[in-house]
mmCIF file of all heavy atoms in Angstrom:
data_model
loop_
_atom_site.group_PDB
_atom_site.id
_atom_site.type_symbol
_atom_site.label_atom_id
_atom_site.label_comp_id
_atom_site.label_asym_id
_atom_site.label_seq_id
_atom_site.Cartn_x
_atom_site.Cartn_y
_atom_site.Cartn_z
ATOM 1 N N HIS A 74 -30.986 22.975 -6.819
ATOM 2 C CA HIS A 74 -31.166 23.445 -8.251
ATOM 3 C C HIS A 74 -30.123 22.572 -9.153
ATOM 4 O O HIS A 74 -30.589 22.223 -10.185
ATOM 5 C CB HIS A 74 -30.850 24.914 -8.399
ATOM 6 C CG HIS A 74 -31.051 25.440 -9.764
ATOM 7 N ND1 HIS A 74 -32.342 25.678 -10.234
ATOM 8 C CD2 HIS A 74 -30.237 25.643 -10.790
ATOM 9 C CE1 HIS A 74 -32.257 26.054 -11.540
ATOM 10 N NE2 HIS A 74 -31.031 26.058 -11.916
ATOM 11 N N ILE A 75 -28.971 22.350 -8.559
ATOM 12 C CA ILE A 75 -28.074 21.522 -9.440
ATOM 13 C C ILE A 75 -28.648 20.098 -9.549
ATOM 14 O O ILE A 75 -28.538 19.560 -10.654
ATOM 15 C CB ILE A 75 -26.695 21.377 -8.655
ATOM 16 C CG1 ILE A 75 -25.916 22.796 -8.801
ATOM 17 C CG2 ILE A 75 -25.791 20.324 -9.226
ATOM 18 C CD1 ILE A 75 -24.682 22.830 -7.962
ATOM 19 N N PHE A 76 -29.293 19.516 -8.561
ATOM 20 C CA PHE A 76 -29.850 18.244 -8.643
ATOM 21 C C PHE A 76 -31.038 18.261 -9.616
ATOM 22 O O PHE A 76 -31.259 17.346 -10.539
ATOM 23 C CB PHE A 76 -30.405 17.691 -7.392
ATOM 24 C CG PHE A 76 -29.225 17.273 -6.489
ATOM 25 C CD1 PHE A 76 -29.036 17.846 -5.324
ATOM 26 C CD2 PHE A 76 -28.460 16.126 -6.821
ATOM 27 C CE1 PHE A 76 -28.019 17.466 -4.441
ATOM 28 C CE2 PHE A 76 -27.446 15.766 -6.014
ATOM 29 C CZ PHE A 76 -27.206 16.386 -4.781
ATOM 30 N N ARG A 77 -31.806 19.407 -9.692
ATOM 31 C CA ARG A 77 -32.851 19.586 -10.570
ATOM 32 C C ARG A 77 -32.407 19.653 -11.995
ATOM 33 O O ARG A 77 -32.949 18.958 -12.889
ATOM 34 C CB ARG A 77 -33.703 20.834 -10.217
ATOM 35 C CG ARG A 77 -34.732 21.306 -11.174
ATOM 36 C CD ARG A 77 -35.326 22.622 -10.754
ATOM 37 N NE ARG A 77 -36.068 23.262 -11.748
ATOM 38 C CZ ARG A 77 -37.355 23.061 -12.083
ATOM 39 N NH1 ARG A 77 -37.991 22.212 -11.323
ATOM 40 N NH2 ARG A 77 -37.845 23.730 -12.983
ATOM 41 N N HIS A 78 -31.357 20.392 -12.252
ATOM 42 C CA HIS A 78 -30.817 20.525 -13.587
ATOM 43 C C HIS A 78 -30.195 19.108 -14.067
ATOM 44 O O HIS A 78 -30.433 18.767 -15.161
ATOM 45 C CB HIS A 78 -29.614 21.604 -13.602
ATOM 46 C CG HIS A 78 -29.034 21.755 -14.854
ATOM 47 N ND1 HIS A 78 -29.735 22.517 -15.926
ATOM 48 C CD2 HIS A 78 -27.832 21.458 -15.453
ATOM 49 C CE1 HIS A 78 -29.000 22.585 -16.953
ATOM 50 N NE2 HIS A 78 -27.880 21.938 -16.733
ATOM 51 N N THR A 79 -29.529 18.464 -13.229
ATOM 52 C CA THR A 79 -28.946 17.144 -13.574
ATOM 53 C C THR A 79 -30.115 16.167 -13.879
ATOM 54 O O THR A 79 -30.035 15.346 -14.877
ATOM 55 C CB THR A 79 -28.130 16.597 -12.353
ATOM 56 O OG1 THR A 79 -27.130 17.458 -12.038
ATOM 57 C CG2 THR A 79 -27.655 15.193 -12.660
ATOM 58 N N PHE A 80 -31.208 16.131 -13.160
ATOM 59 C CA PHE A 80 -32.355 15.304 -13.430
ATOM 60 C C PHE A 80 -32.947 15.573 -14.738
ATOM 61 O O PHE A 80 -33.250 14.686 -15.565
ATOM 62 C CB PHE A 80 -33.451 15.420 -12.355
ATOM 63 C CG PHE A 80 -34.644 14.648 -12.635
ATOM 64 C CD1 PHE A 80 -34.685 13.296 -12.657
ATOM 65 C CD2 PHE A 80 -35.841 15.361 -12.822
ATOM 66 C CE1 PHE A 80 -35.832 12.516 -12.943
ATOM 67 C CE2 PHE A 80 -37.068 14.662 -13.170
ATOM 68 C CZ PHE A 80 -37.052 13.368 -13.185
ATOM 69 N N CYS A 81 -33.067 16.800 -15.095
ATOM 70 C CA CYS A 81 -33.656 17.197 -16.419
ATOM 71 C C CYS A 81 -32.813 16.878 -17.522
ATOM 72 O O CYS A 81 -33.235 16.408 -18.640
ATOM 73 C CB CYS A 81 -34.002 18.767 -16.476
ATOM 74 S SG CYS A 81 -35.011 19.156 -17.917
ATOM 75 N N CYS A 82 -31.496 17.001 -17.327
ATOM 76 C CA CYS A 82 -30.471 16.547 -18.399
ATOM 77 C C CYS A 82 -30.553 15.047 -18.631
ATOM 78 O O CYS A 82 -30.566 14.480 -19.715
ATOM 79 C CB CYS A 82 -29.017 16.963 -18.012
ATOM 80 S SG CYS A 82 -28.629 18.710 -18.245
ATOM 81 N N TRP A 83 -30.643 14.311 -17.464
ATOM 82 C CA TRP A 83 -30.987 12.880 -17.588
ATOM 83 C C TRP A 83 -32.162 12.535 -18.374
ATOM 84 O O TRP A 83 -32.174 11.643 -19.155
ATOM 85 C CB TRP A 83 -30.896 12.315 -16.123
ATOM 86 C CG TRP A 83 -31.063 10.821 -16.158
ATOM 87 C CD1 TRP A 83 -30.064 9.904 -16.148
ATOM 88 C CD2 TRP A 83 -32.212 9.995 -16.141
ATOM 89 N NE1 TRP A 83 -30.418 8.593 -16.197
ATOM 90 C CE2 TRP A 83 -31.836 8.651 -16.191
ATOM 91 C CE3 TRP A 83 -33.532 10.290 -16.248
ATOM 92 C CZ2 TRP A 83 -32.736 7.575 -16.223
ATOM 93 C CZ3 TRP A 83 -34.491 9.201 -16.233
ATOM 94 C CH2 TRP A 83 -34.130 7.808 -16.274
ATOM 95 N N LEU A 84 -33.223 13.230 -18.009
ATOM 96 C CA LEU A 84 -34.462 13.052 -18.856
ATOM 97 C C LEU A 84 -34.253 13.275 -20.254
ATOM 98 O O LEU A 84 -34.683 12.424 -21.146
ATOM 99 C CB LEU A 84 -35.592 13.902 -18.411
ATOM 100 C CG LEU A 84 -36.237 13.509 -17.053
ATOM 101 C CD1 LEU A 84 -37.245 14.643 -16.608
ATOM 102 C CD2 LEU A 84 -36.979 12.191 -17.174
ATOM 103 N N CYS A 85 -33.588 14.284 -20.605
ATOM 104 C CA CYS A 85 -33.240 14.654 -22.093
ATOM 105 C C CYS A 85 -32.458 13.573 -22.749
ATOM 106 O O CYS A 85 -32.726 13.194 -23.975
ATOM 107 C CB CYS A 85 -32.487 15.990 -22.152
ATOM 108 S SG CYS A 85 -33.591 17.415 -21.727
ATOM 109 N N GLU A 86 -31.612 13.000 -21.992
ATOM 110 C CA GLU A 86 -30.691 11.944 -22.563
ATOM 111 C C GLU A 86 -31.392 10.583 -22.750
ATOM 112 O O GLU A 86 -30.947 9.718 -23.419
ATOM 113 C CB GLU A 86 -29.422 11.789 -21.724
ATOM 114 C CG GLU A 86 -28.585 12.963 -21.815
ATOM 115 C CD GLU A 86 -27.321 12.962 -20.729
ATOM 116 O OE1 GLU A 86 -27.273 12.039 -20.057
ATOM 117 O OE2 GLU A 86 -26.633 13.996 -20.714
ATOM 118 N N HIS A 87 -32.460 10.331 -21.908
ATOM 119 C CA HIS A 87 -33.064 9.036 -21.832
ATOM 120 C C HIS A 87 -34.491 9.000 -22.397
ATOM 121 O O HIS A 87 -35.246 8.060 -22.105
ATOM 122 C CB HIS A 87 -33.027 8.523 -20.457
ATOM 123 C CG HIS A 87 -31.656 8.215 -19.903
ATOM 124 N ND1 HIS A 87 -30.859 9.174 -19.332
ATOM 125 C CD2 HIS A 87 -30.979 6.988 -20.167
ATOM 126 C CE1 HIS A 87 -29.698 8.568 -19.141
ATOM 127 N NE2 HIS A 87 -29.537 7.311 -19.547
ATOM 128 N N THR A 88 -34.839 9.974 -23.228
ATOM 129 C CA THR A 88 -36.087 9.969 -23.930
ATOM 130 C C THR A 88 -35.783 10.041 -25.382
ATOM 131 O O THR A 88 -34.648 10.240 -25.823
ATOM 132 C CB THR A 88 -36.955 11.144 -23.501
ATOM 133 O OG1 THR A 88 -36.320 12.369 -23.830
ATOM 134 C CG2 THR A 88 -37.334 11.139 -21.999
ATOM 135 N N ASP A 89 -36.761 9.743 -26.262
ATOM 136 C CA ASP A 89 -36.504 9.700 -27.687
ATOM 137 C C ASP A 89 -36.354 11.148 -28.320
ATOM 138 O O ASP A 89 -35.943 11.107 -29.501
ATOM 139 C CB ASP A 89 -37.706 9.008 -28.402
ATOM 140 C CG ASP A 89 -39.050 9.677 -28.295
ATOM 141 O OD1 ASP A 89 -38.937 10.920 -27.827
ATOM 142 O OD2 ASP A 89 -40.018 9.007 -28.654
ATOM 143 N N GLY A 90 -36.531 12.153 -27.684
ATOM 144 C CA GLY A 90 -36.370 13.525 -28.122
ATOM 145 C C GLY A 90 -37.392 14.092 -28.963
ATOM 146 O O GLY A 90 -37.324 15.169 -29.429
ATOM 147 N N GLY A 91 -38.509 13.349 -29.066
ATOM 148 C CA GLY A 91 -39.580 13.886 -29.875
ATOM 149 C C GLY A 91 -40.408 14.975 -29.135
ATOM 150 O O GLY A 91 -40.151 15.236 -27.997
ATOM 151 N N ALA A 92 -41.336 15.485 -29.850
ATOM 152 C CA ALA A 92 -42.144 16.533 -29.181
ATOM 153 C C ALA A 92 -42.813 16.125 -27.938
ATOM 154 O O ALA A 92 -42.964 16.817 -27.017
ATOM 155 C CB ALA A 92 -43.173 17.102 -30.260
ATOM 156 N N ASP A 93 -43.339 14.926 -28.021
ATOM 157 C CA ASP A 93 -44.064 14.401 -26.806
ATOM 158 C C ASP A 93 -43.077 14.257 -25.500
ATOM 159 O O ASP A 93 -43.543 14.579 -24.499
ATOM 160 C CB ASP A 93 -44.551 12.988 -27.038
ATOM 161 C CG ASP A 93 -45.833 12.941 -28.004
ATOM 162 O OD1 ASP A 93 -46.313 14.028 -28.166
ATOM 163 O OD2 ASP A 93 -46.085 11.922 -28.616
#
Side-chain angles (χ1 to χ4, degrees):
H74 185 79
I75 290 173
F76 287 117
R77 174 183 163 85
H78 183 73
T79 302
F80 173 67
C81 192
C82 285
W83 184 89
L84 283 174
C85 289
E86 292 169 1
H87 291 87
T88 58
D89 64 11
D93 290 341

